[in-house]
Amino acid sequence: MVIHSLKLNDFRNYENIDVEFNSGINFIYGKNGQGKTNLIESLYLVTHLKSFRTSKVSDLTLYSKKISSVQTDLSKQNVRHDIRITLHENLKKVLHNQKIVNYTSEYIKNFLSLLFSPDQLVAYKEFPLERRNFIDRILFLIDKKYFQRIKEFNRIKKQKNVLLRNGKKGDIFVWNQLMAVVIPEIIESRELIVEKINEVLEKIFKALTGRDACLKFFYGNDLNSKTDLSPDSILKYLAEKMDQEIGNGYCLFGPHKDNFWMTLDGKKDRQAFSQGEYRIAYLSLQLAMNKIISGMLGFKPILLLDDIFSELDETVCENTIAYITRSDNQVFMTSTAIPEKFMDIGDSFCISNGGLSTA
Ligand SMILES: Nc1ncnc2c1ncn2[C@@H]1O[C@H](COP(=O)(O)OP(=O)(O)OP(=O)(O)O)[C@@H](O)[C@H]1O
Ligand SMILES: [Mg+2]
């Protein structure tokens, strides 16, 4: 995938920019508070139809304005796509090749950018929901049935939650039956992607760090230690726990409680990783996803790497640049540093107060 051009009108601190990008590496640099992350956010918006920093659409429009727009011309597997997003107060209108996009889920199955940002890293580290969303977003792309299964599970969970609050045992049993069928399917897809991640993760971590250390990704399936995973056993387990669930008024067991974590030479991330190690491990995970998508779907996601080099030592920075250059993705990297090292491997853009100039 390549974003060829980007036009921003009254988006965050950009009044008006119209820029063409390199199909390889784009290095964006500038002092603090100039608009680097805002630019990355606009590119993320084009591929995810949402921001990674706010759920309020109106936050994205320049203060004092009511309407903003993001326009881009991108290509995927040699097909061009014209994307126009208009943000009007809290409403978002998306045109894809002049046609209105009614379903975000359909749109985002076509495109993908992988984001590394300090905010995203904190959220990933802190919240199991973020980790599940990260895995799910990739599974939606590579496993066509997975999206339907998650949608179905969420529908069942919502209905069951209402009944749990009302304590209607007979009705709850019926929803448990439906849940017991879909849960093993979700687990199976999640297990499969974790297996795929582990086929490449260790090698990527070694390439980035130059260290002979073993990075592994784990899936903690909520029901694993509680029951075996056949529909009958899950149904039996949920029946046993019905009173407890009624007491709480919401579903306590299932894939919405699943967790993911990493280990480095057997030591668990949150307890044992240094700040830098967590950053590299998270970046390795994104790059593992990149490899999986490229291999399975035949296109390369866009890599959005915001403020990537802070806290990384010089060796890791150099190895990362070498890895990314070899990976042949379109890359947007931001930094506060002047990009001497990047001058000959891509295009550089200097950002100052919402203005952008080529270096
Ligand atoms: N809706 C908005 N309208 C106008 N300005 C905004 C809006 N939202 C954010 N800004 C401003 O945009 C500026 C640039 O923000 P951004 O996060 O892109 O900076 P940055 O270049 O990434 O800085 P850093 O290096 O510190 O990460 C900030 O000063 C912020 O206050
Ligand atoms: Mg920033």
Side-chain angles (χ1 to χ4, degrees):
M1 252 183 85
V2 174
I3 293 185
H4 299 280
S5 65
L6 178 74
K7 278 187 198 172
L8 299 180
N9 273 293
D10 296 334
F11 181 88
R12 291 281 194 190
N13 68 328
Y14 292 94
E15 275 181 20
N16 216 320
I17 60 161
D18 183 351
V19 55
E20 295 201 349
F21 293 119
N22 187 313
S23 59
I25 292 186
N26 296 277
F27 187 77
I28 293 144
Y29 68 100
K31 295 190 172 158
N32 296 129
Q34 300 305 304
K36 300 181 296 296
T37 303
N38 292 345
L39 187 85
I40 294 290
E41 191 179 25
S42 71
L43 298 169
Y44 184 90
L45 179 71
V46 164
T47 43
H48 289 71
L49 296 188
K50 63 176 187 181
S51 161
F52 56 89
R53 297 206 284 189
T54 178
S55 54
K56 257 177 93 185
V57 173
S58 60
D59 287 350
L60 302 174
T61 297
L62 187 75
Y63 305 140
S64 82
K65 297 284 174 84
K66 287 201 165 122
I67 300 179
S68 58
S69 68
V70 177
Q71 264 187 57
T72 179
D73 163 32
L74 59 84
S75 62
K76 191 185 128 197
Q77 292 164 316
N78 296 322
V79 179
R80 296 293 269 228
H81 300 265
D82 177 76
I83 313 294
R84 291 164 196 237
I85 303 173
T86 309
L87 311 169
H88 186 184
E89 294 184 333
N90 261 324
L91 294 176
K92 180 174 59 199
K93 184 174 136 196
V94 184
L95 290 177
H96 178 191
N97 293 339
Q98 281 82 49
K99 287 203 187 92
I100 290 214
V101 172
N102 290 315
Y103 299 102
T104 300
S105 55
E106 283 306 313
Y107 176 95
I108 65 166
K109 277 188 215 159
N110 290 311
F111 307 115
L112 183 68
S113 61
L114 293 167
L115 171 74
F116 176 97
S117 89
D119 296 339
Q120 190 91 346
L121 175 62
V122 169
Y124 181 89
K125 215 167 160 178
E126 293 301 319
F127 306 111
L129 174 67
E130 288 294 325
R131 298 195 277 277
R132 287 192 295 274
N133 285 345
F134 173 68
I135 295 294
D136 283 353
R137 173 77 170 89
I138 307 295
L139 276 170
F140 292 162
L141 280 159
I142 59 174
D143 183 347
K144 295 257 178 293
K145 290 185 187 145
Y146 187 76
F147 178 74
Q148 288 310 325
R149 287 173 185 153
I150 288 287
K151 209 169 139 190
E152 173 69 354
F153 176 77
N154 287 335
R155 185 182 71 87
I156 298 166
K157 178 160 68 73
K158 201 171 158 194
Q159 295 292 334
K160 191 178 145 183
N161 278 341
V162 173
L163 296 168
L164 286 171
R165 283 193 289 275
N166 299 335
K168 291 188 178 166
K169 286 192 175 181
D171 293 350
I172 294 166
F173 183 79
V174 177
W175 291 97
N176 277 348
Q177 278 180 314
L178 296 173
M179 225 177 210
V181 173
V182 76
I183 287 175
E185 295 172 344
I186 292 174
I187 293 172
E188 196 189 336
S189 296
R190 287 183 175 174
E191 276 172 349
L192 214 74
I193 186 109
V194 171
E195 213 177 291
K196 286 195 177 299
I197 290 169
N198 281 319
E199 282 167 17
V200 292
L201 189 68
E202 181 177 348
K203 214 169 155 197
I204 294 172
F205 185 81
K206 282 181 177 164
L208 298 189
T209 57
R211 276 167 59 180
D212 190 21
C214 176
L215 182 68
K216 272 197 176 327
F217 191 69
F218 286 88
Y219 171 32
N221 147 22
D222 175 54
L223 288 169
N224 209 15
S225 55
K226 297 166 182 155
T227 168
D228 83 68
L229 299 173
S230 68
D232 285 348
S233 303
I234 292 174
L235 183 60
K236 190 164 162 260
Y237 182 77
L238 292 176
E240 280 165 20
K241 297 289 171 183
M242 198 185 286
D243 286 336
Q244 193 185 340
E245 289 198 307
I246 289 172
N248 280 275
Y250 53 86
C251 301
L252 291 172
F253 310 98
H256 60 301
K257 298 283 179 181
D258 284 356
N259 203 357
F260 298 91
W261 65 90
M262 291 181 274
T263 65
L264 192 55
D265 286 337
K267 291 188 213 85
K268 219 170 163 184
D269 47 16
R270 281 178 67 95
Q271 288 94 39
F273 286 21
S274 73
Q275 303 249 65
E277 280 171 341
Y278 208 115
R279 272 179 99 90
I280 309 162
Y282 181 60
L283 177 61
S284 304
L285 188 58
Q286 299 275 10
L287 295 172
M289 291 302 196
N290 177 47
K291 256 195 144 141
I292 293 167
I293 298 285
S294 310
M296 292 184 76
L297 300 181
F299 78 91
K300 288 180 184 279
I302 290 163
L303 302 181
L304 303 175
L305 310 176
D306 189 25
D307 198 11
I308 185 176
F309 297 121
S310 53
E311 277 177 6
L312 299 185
D313 66 44
E314 208 173 318
T315 313
V316 177
C317 290
E318 276 170 15
N319 290 343
T320 303
I321 295 164
Y323 184 96
I324 283 166
T325 313
R326 282 197 308 274
S327 76
D328 207 23
N329 292 73
Q330 187 182 34
V331 184
F332 295 85
M333 261 189 277
T334 77
S335 171
T336 49
I338 307 292
E340 276 151 30
K341 281 181 192 152
F342 298 92
M343 289 297 188
D344 41 348
I345 57 166
D347 287 353
S348 299
F349 301 86
C350 176
I351 294 199
S352 176
N353 196 19
L356 201 134
S357 55
T358 43

